Short mmCIF file of all heavy atoms in Angstrom, two decimals:
data_model
loop_
_atom_site.label_atom_id
_atom_site.label_comp_id
_atom_site.label_asym_id
_atom_site.label_seq_id
_atom_site.Cartn_x
_atom_site.Cartn_y
_atom_site.Cartn_z
N THR C 890 -133.13 -0.78 32.38
CA THR C 890 -134.48 -1.14 32.86
C THR C 890 -134.86 -2.53 32.36
O THR C 890 -135.46 -3.33 33.10
CB THR C 890 -135.52 -0.08 32.41
OG1 THR C 890 -135.00 1.23 32.61
CG2 THR C 890 -136.82 -0.23 33.17
N LEU C 891 -134.48 -2.83 31.12
CA LEU C 891 -134.78 -4.16 30.59
C LEU C 891 -133.93 -5.23 31.27
O LEU C 891 -134.44 -6.29 31.65
CB LEU C 891 -134.56 -4.18 29.06
CG LEU C 891 -134.92 -5.50 28.37
CD1 LEU C 891 -136.42 -5.82 28.50
CD2 LEU C 891 -134.52 -5.49 26.90
N VAL C 892 -132.63 -4.95 31.42
CA VAL C 892 -131.73 -5.91 32.08
C VAL C 892 -132.26 -6.22 33.49
O VAL C 892 -132.28 -7.38 33.92
CB VAL C 892 -130.28 -5.38 32.14
CG1 VAL C 892 -129.41 -6.24 33.05
CG2 VAL C 892 -129.67 -5.31 30.74
N ASN C 893 -132.70 -5.20 34.21
CA ASN C 893 -133.21 -5.41 35.58
C ASN C 893 -134.45 -6.31 35.58
O ASN C 893 -134.78 -6.90 36.60
CB ASN C 893 -133.57 -4.07 36.23
CG ASN C 893 -132.35 -3.22 36.52
OD1 ASN C 893 -131.23 -3.69 36.42
ND2 ASN C 893 -132.57 -1.96 36.86
N THR C 894 -135.12 -6.38 34.45
CA THR C 894 -136.36 -7.17 34.37
C THR C 894 -136.12 -8.59 33.89
O THR C 894 -136.64 -9.54 34.46
CB THR C 894 -137.37 -6.46 33.44
OG1 THR C 894 -137.49 -5.09 33.83
CG2 THR C 894 -138.74 -7.13 33.50
N VAL C 895 -135.31 -8.73 32.83
CA VAL C 895 -135.20 -10.07 32.20
C VAL C 895 -133.80 -10.67 32.31
O VAL C 895 -133.60 -11.82 31.90
CB VAL C 895 -135.63 -10.04 30.71
CG1 VAL C 895 -137.06 -9.56 30.56
CG2 VAL C 895 -134.69 -9.20 29.85
N GLY C 896 -132.83 -9.92 32.82
CA GLY C 896 -131.46 -10.43 32.90
C GLY C 896 -130.65 -10.04 31.68
O GLY C 896 -131.19 -9.63 30.65
N HIS C 897 -129.33 -10.19 31.80
CA HIS C 897 -128.43 -9.63 30.79
C HIS C 897 -128.53 -10.33 29.44
O HIS C 897 -128.62 -9.69 28.40
CB HIS C 897 -126.99 -9.68 31.31
CG HIS C 897 -126.07 -8.78 30.54
ND1 HIS C 897 -125.53 -9.12 29.32
CD2 HIS C 897 -125.64 -7.52 30.81
CE1 HIS C 897 -124.79 -8.13 28.88
NE2 HIS C 897 -124.83 -7.15 29.76
N ARG C 898 -128.52 -11.66 29.46
CA ARG C 898 -128.49 -12.40 28.18
C ARG C 898 -129.77 -12.16 27.36
O ARG C 898 -129.71 -11.85 26.16
CB ARG C 898 -128.30 -13.90 28.44
CG ARG C 898 -128.41 -14.76 27.18
CD ARG C 898 -127.34 -14.40 26.15
NE ARG C 898 -127.58 -15.05 24.86
CZ ARG C 898 -127.32 -14.48 23.69
NH1 ARG C 898 -126.83 -13.25 23.62
NH2 ARG C 898 -127.54 -15.13 22.58
N ALA C 899 -130.90 -12.31 28.04
CA ALA C 899 -132.18 -12.13 27.32
C ALA C 899 -132.30 -10.69 26.83
O ALA C 899 -132.79 -10.44 25.71
CB ALA C 899 -133.35 -12.49 28.23
N ALA C 900 -131.80 -9.74 27.64
CA ALA C 900 -131.89 -8.33 27.24
C ALA C 900 -131.00 -8.06 26.03
O ALA C 900 -131.41 -7.38 25.08
CB ALA C 900 -131.49 -7.43 28.41
N GLU C 901 -129.79 -8.64 26.06
CA GLU C 901 -128.88 -8.38 24.94
C GLU C 901 -129.48 -8.88 23.62
O GLU C 901 -129.48 -8.18 22.61
CB GLU C 901 -127.52 -9.04 25.18
CG GLU C 901 -126.61 -8.78 23.98
CD GLU C 901 -125.17 -9.23 24.16
OE1 GLU C 901 -124.79 -9.63 25.28
OE2 GLU C 901 -124.43 -9.16 23.16
N GLN C 902 -130.01 -10.09 23.68
CA GLN C 902 -130.58 -10.66 22.45
C GLN C 902 -131.78 -9.83 21.98
O GLN C 902 -131.90 -9.50 20.80
CB GLN C 902 -131.02 -12.10 22.76
CG GLN C 902 -131.20 -12.92 21.51
CD GLN C 902 -131.33 -14.41 21.86
OE1 GLN C 902 -130.76 -14.89 22.83
NE2 GLN C 902 -132.06 -15.13 21.05
N ALA C 903 -132.65 -9.49 22.93
CA ALA C 903 -133.86 -8.73 22.56
C ALA C 903 -133.49 -7.35 22.03
O ALA C 903 -134.11 -6.86 21.06
CB ALA C 903 -134.76 -8.59 23.79
N LEU C 904 -132.47 -6.74 22.61
CA LEU C 904 -132.08 -5.38 22.19
C LEU C 904 -131.39 -5.40 20.83
O LEU C 904 -131.66 -4.55 19.98
CB LEU C 904 -131.15 -4.75 23.23
CG LEU C 904 -131.83 -4.22 24.48
CD1 LEU C 904 -130.80 -3.95 25.57
CD2 LEU C 904 -132.62 -2.96 24.18
N GLN C 905 -130.47 -6.34 20.63
CA GLN C 905 -129.76 -6.37 19.34
C GLN C 905 -130.74 -6.63 18.20
O GLN C 905 -130.65 -6.03 17.14
CB GLN C 905 -128.67 -7.44 19.35
CG GLN C 905 -127.45 -7.05 20.15
CD GLN C 905 -126.19 -7.79 19.68
OE1 GLN C 905 -125.98 -7.98 18.47
NE2 GLN C 905 -125.38 -8.22 20.62
N LEU C 906 -131.67 -7.55 18.44
CA LEU C 906 -132.61 -7.91 17.37
C LEU C 906 -133.80 -6.96 17.32
O LEU C 906 -134.58 -6.98 16.36
CB LEU C 906 -133.10 -9.35 17.56
CG LEU C 906 -132.02 -10.44 17.45
CD1 LEU C 906 -132.59 -11.80 17.82
CD2 LEU C 906 -131.43 -10.47 16.04
N GLY C 907 -133.99 -6.14 18.34
CA GLY C 907 -135.15 -5.24 18.39
C GLY C 907 -136.45 -6.03 18.39
O GLY C 907 -137.44 -5.65 17.74
N THR C 908 -136.45 -7.13 19.14
CA THR C 908 -137.58 -8.06 19.07
C THR C 908 -138.86 -7.48 19.68
O THR C 908 -138.83 -6.93 20.78
CB THR C 908 -137.25 -9.37 19.82
OG1 THR C 908 -135.96 -9.81 19.43
CG2 THR C 908 -138.29 -10.45 19.55
N LEU C 909 -139.95 -7.64 18.95
CA LEU C 909 -141.28 -7.34 19.49
C LEU C 909 -141.94 -8.70 19.78
O LEU C 909 -142.21 -9.47 18.86
CB LEU C 909 -142.10 -6.53 18.48
CG LEU C 909 -141.68 -5.06 18.34
CD1 LEU C 909 -142.38 -4.40 17.16
CD2 LEU C 909 -141.95 -4.28 19.63
N PHE C 910 -142.15 -9.00 21.05
CA PHE C 910 -142.64 -10.31 21.47
C PHE C 910 -144.16 -10.35 21.53
O PHE C 910 -144.78 -9.49 22.17
CB PHE C 910 -142.12 -10.65 22.87
CG PHE C 910 -140.62 -10.72 22.99
CD1 PHE C 910 -139.88 -9.63 23.41
CD2 PHE C 910 -139.95 -11.90 22.68
CE1 PHE C 910 -138.50 -9.70 23.53
CE2 PHE C 910 -138.56 -11.98 22.80
CZ PHE C 910 -137.83 -10.88 23.22
N PRO C 911 -144.78 -11.39 20.94
CA PRO C 911 -146.21 -11.60 21.20
C PRO C 911 -146.38 -12.10 22.64
O PRO C 911 -145.39 -12.50 23.28
CB PRO C 911 -146.60 -12.66 20.16
CG PRO C 911 -145.34 -13.30 19.74
CD PRO C 911 -144.20 -12.36 20.02
N PRO C 912 -147.61 -12.09 23.16
CA PRO C 912 -147.80 -12.33 24.60
C PRO C 912 -147.12 -13.59 25.16
O PRO C 912 -146.41 -13.50 26.18
CB PRO C 912 -149.33 -12.42 24.74
CG PRO C 912 -149.83 -11.54 23.65
CD PRO C 912 -148.87 -11.72 22.50
N ALA C 913 -147.29 -14.74 24.53
CA ALA C 913 -146.74 -15.98 25.11
C ALA C 913 -145.22 -15.91 25.20
O ALA C 913 -144.61 -16.32 26.20
CB ALA C 913 -147.18 -17.19 24.30
N LYS C 914 -144.59 -15.38 24.15
CA LYS C 914 -143.12 -15.24 24.14
C LYS C 914 -142.66 -14.21 25.18
O LYS C 914 -141.62 -14.37 25.83
CB LYS C 914 -142.64 -14.80 22.76
CG LYS C 914 -142.58 -15.94 21.77
CD LYS C 914 -141.22 -16.63 21.92
CE LYS C 914 -141.08 -17.80 20.95
NZ LYS C 914 -140.04 -18.74 21.39
N ALA C 915 -143.46 -13.15 25.29
CA ALA C 915 -143.12 -12.10 26.27
C ALA C 915 -143.12 -12.67 27.68
O ALA C 915 -142.27 -12.35 28.51
CB ALA C 915 -144.10 -10.94 26.15
N LEU C 916 -144.06 -13.56 27.92
CA LEU C 916 -144.15 -14.21 29.24
C LEU C 916 -142.95 -15.13 29.45
O LEU C 916 -142.31 -15.13 30.50
CB LEU C 916 -145.46 -14.99 29.34
CG LEU C 916 -145.73 -15.68 30.67
CD1 LEU C 916 -145.84 -14.66 31.80
CD2 LEU C 916 -147.01 -16.51 30.58
N GLN C 917 -142.62 -15.87 28.40
CA GLN C 917 -141.50 -16.82 28.47
C GLN C 917 -140.19 -16.10 28.79
O GLN C 917 -139.39 -16.57 29.61
CB GLN C 917 -141.40 -17.52 27.11
CG GLN C 917 -140.69 -18.82 27.13
CD GLN C 917 -140.61 -19.39 25.71
OE1 GLN C 917 -141.05 -18.79 24.72
NE2 GLN C 917 -140.03 -20.55 25.60
N VAL C 918 -139.98 -14.95 28.15
CA VAL C 918 -138.71 -14.24 28.35
C VAL C 918 -138.74 -13.40 29.64
O VAL C 918 -137.69 -12.95 30.12
CB VAL C 918 -138.36 -13.41 27.09
CG1 VAL C 918 -139.14 -12.12 27.03
CG2 VAL C 918 -136.88 -13.13 26.98
N GLY C 919 -139.94 -13.19 30.19
CA GLY C 919 -140.06 -12.46 31.46
C GLY C 919 -140.28 -10.97 31.31
O GLY C 919 -140.23 -10.22 32.28
N ILE C 920 -140.57 -10.56 30.08
CA ILE C 920 -140.79 -9.11 29.87
C ILE C 920 -142.17 -8.72 30.41
O ILE C 920 -142.40 -7.57 30.78
CB ILE C 920 -140.58 -8.76 28.38
CG1 ILE C 920 -140.16 -7.31 28.21
CG2 ILE C 920 -141.74 -9.06 27.53
CD1 ILE C 920 -139.53 -7.03 26.85
N VAL C 921 -143.09 -9.67 30.46
CA VAL C 921 -144.35 -9.48 31.21
C VAL C 921 -144.44 -10.60 32.26
O VAL C 921 -143.78 -11.64 32.14
CB VAL C 921 -145.62 -9.47 30.31
CG1 VAL C 921 -145.57 -8.35 29.30
CG2 VAL C 921 -145.86 -10.81 29.64
N ASP C 922 -145.26 -10.36 33.28
CA ASP C 922 -145.36 -11.31 34.39
C ASP C 922 -146.54 -12.25 34.26
O ASP C 922 -146.58 -13.30 34.90
CB ASP C 922 -145.49 -10.53 35.71
CG ASP C 922 -144.29 -9.64 35.94
OD1 ASP C 922 -143.18 -10.18 36.13
OD2 ASP C 922 -144.44 -8.41 35.90
N GLN C 923 -147.53 -11.85 33.47
CA GLN C 923 -148.76 -12.64 33.39
C GLN C 923 -149.46 -12.32 32.08
O GLN C 923 -149.44 -11.16 31.64
CB GLN C 923 -149.67 -12.23 34.57
CG GLN C 923 -150.74 -13.21 34.93
CD GLN C 923 -151.55 -12.72 36.14
OE1 GLN C 923 -151.12 -11.85 36.89
NE2 GLN C 923 -152.72 -13.29 36.32
N VAL C 924 -150.03 -13.35 31.45
CA VAL C 924 -150.84 -13.16 30.25
C VAL C 924 -152.22 -13.72 30.55
O VAL C 924 -152.34 -14.83 31.06
CB VAL C 924 -150.20 -13.88 29.03
CG1 VAL C 924 -151.12 -13.86 27.83
CG2 VAL C 924 -148.85 -13.23 28.68
N VAL C 925 -153.24 -12.93 30.26
CA VAL C 925 -154.61 -13.36 30.60
C VAL C 925 -155.54 -13.09 29.41
O VAL C 925 -155.23 -12.24 28.57
CB VAL C 925 -155.15 -12.61 31.85
CG1 VAL C 925 -154.30 -12.89 33.08
CG2 VAL C 925 -155.25 -11.11 31.61
N PRO C 926 -156.67 -13.80 29.34
CA PRO C 926 -157.64 -13.48 28.28
C PRO C 926 -158.00 -11.99 28.34
O PRO C 926 -158.11 -11.42 29.43
CB PRO C 926 -158.84 -14.36 28.61
CG PRO C 926 -158.26 -15.50 29.41
CD PRO C 926 -157.13 -14.91 30.18
N GLU C 927 -158.19 -11.40 27.15
CA GLU C 927 -158.35 -9.94 27.09
C GLU C 927 -159.46 -9.43 28.00
O GLU C 927 -159.30 -8.41 28.66
CB GLU C 927 -158.61 -9.53 25.63
CG GLU C 927 -158.51 -8.05 25.42
CD GLU C 927 -158.00 -7.66 24.03
OE1 GLU C 927 -158.02 -8.49 23.11
OE2 GLU C 927 -157.58 -6.51 23.89
N GLU C 928 -160.55 -10.19 28.07
CA GLU C 928 -161.70 -9.69 28.85
C GLU C 928 -161.43 -9.74 30.36
O GLU C 928 -162.16 -9.15 31.15
CB GLU C 928 -162.99 -10.43 28.48
CG GLU C 928 -163.03 -11.93 28.78
CD GLU C 928 -162.28 -12.81 27.75
OE1 GLU C 928 -161.62 -12.26 26.85
OE2 GLU C 928 -162.35 -14.05 27.89
N GLN C 929 -160.36 -10.46 30.73
CA GLN C 929 -160.04 -10.55 32.18
C GLN C 929 -158.90 -9.61 32.59
O GLN C 929 -158.43 -9.66 33.73
CB GLN C 929 -159.66 -11.99 32.53
CG GLN C 929 -160.81 -12.96 32.47
CD GLN C 929 -160.34 -14.40 32.55
OE1 GLN C 929 -159.27 -14.70 33.08
NE2 GLN C 929 -161.14 -15.31 31.99
N LEU C 930 -158.43 -8.77 31.65
CA LEU C 930 -157.21 -8.00 31.92
C LEU C 930 -157.37 -7.07 33.14
O LEU C 930 -156.52 -7.06 34.04
CB LEU C 930 -156.83 -7.17 30.68
CG LEU C 930 -155.54 -6.38 30.82
CD1 LEU C 930 -154.32 -7.31 30.92
CD2 LEU C 930 -155.34 -5.42 29.64
N GLN C 931 -158.45 -6.31 33.16
CA GLN C 931 -158.58 -5.33 34.25
C GLN C 931 -158.76 -6.04 35.60
O GLN C 931 -158.18 -5.63 36.61
CB GLN C 931 -159.73 -4.34 33.97
CG GLN C 931 -159.58 -3.55 32.66
CD GLN C 931 -158.26 -2.79 32.50
OE1 GLN C 931 -157.69 -2.29 33.48
NE2 GLN C 931 -157.74 -2.71 31.28
N SER C 932 -159.56 -7.10 35.61
CA SER C 932 -159.76 -7.79 36.90
C SER C 932 -158.47 -8.47 37.36
O SER C 932 -158.15 -8.49 38.55
CB SER C 932 -160.92 -8.80 36.81
OG SER C 932 -160.62 -9.78 35.87
N ALA C 933 -157.68 -8.98 36.40
CA ALA C 933 -156.41 -9.61 36.78
C ALA C 933 -155.46 -8.55 37.36
O ALA C 933 -154.77 -8.80 38.35
CB ALA C 933 -155.77 -10.28 35.57
N ALA C 934 -155.44 -7.37 36.73
CA ALA C 934 -154.56 -6.29 37.22
C ALA C 934 -154.97 -5.88 38.64
O ALA C 934 -154.13 -5.67 39.51
CB ALA C 934 -154.62 -5.10 36.27
N LEU C 935 -156.27 -5.80 38.88
CA LEU C 935 -156.75 -5.40 40.21
C LEU C 935 -156.46 -6.48 41.25
O LEU C 935 -156.15 -6.19 42.40
CB LEU C 935 -158.26 -5.10 40.16
CG LEU C 935 -158.61 -3.81 39.41
CD1 LEU C 935 -160.10 -3.71 39.15
CD2 LEU C 935 -158.12 -2.57 40.18
#
Side-chain angles (χ1 to χ4, degrees):
T890 315
L891 183 64
V892 169
N893 292 349
T894 309
V895 301
H897 197 280
R898 174 61 190 144
E901 178 172 353
Q902 199 167 329
L904 283 166
Q905 285 205 40
L906 296 173
T908 313
L909 286 170
F910 298 95
K914 281 274 180 200
L916 182 63
Q917 201 182 2
V918 79
I920 206 162
V921 300
D922 300 294
Q923 199 178 343
V924 172
V925 299
E927 192 148 18
E928 64 281 6
Q929 290 169 25
L930 183 67
Q931 302 306 326
S932 62
L935 289 169

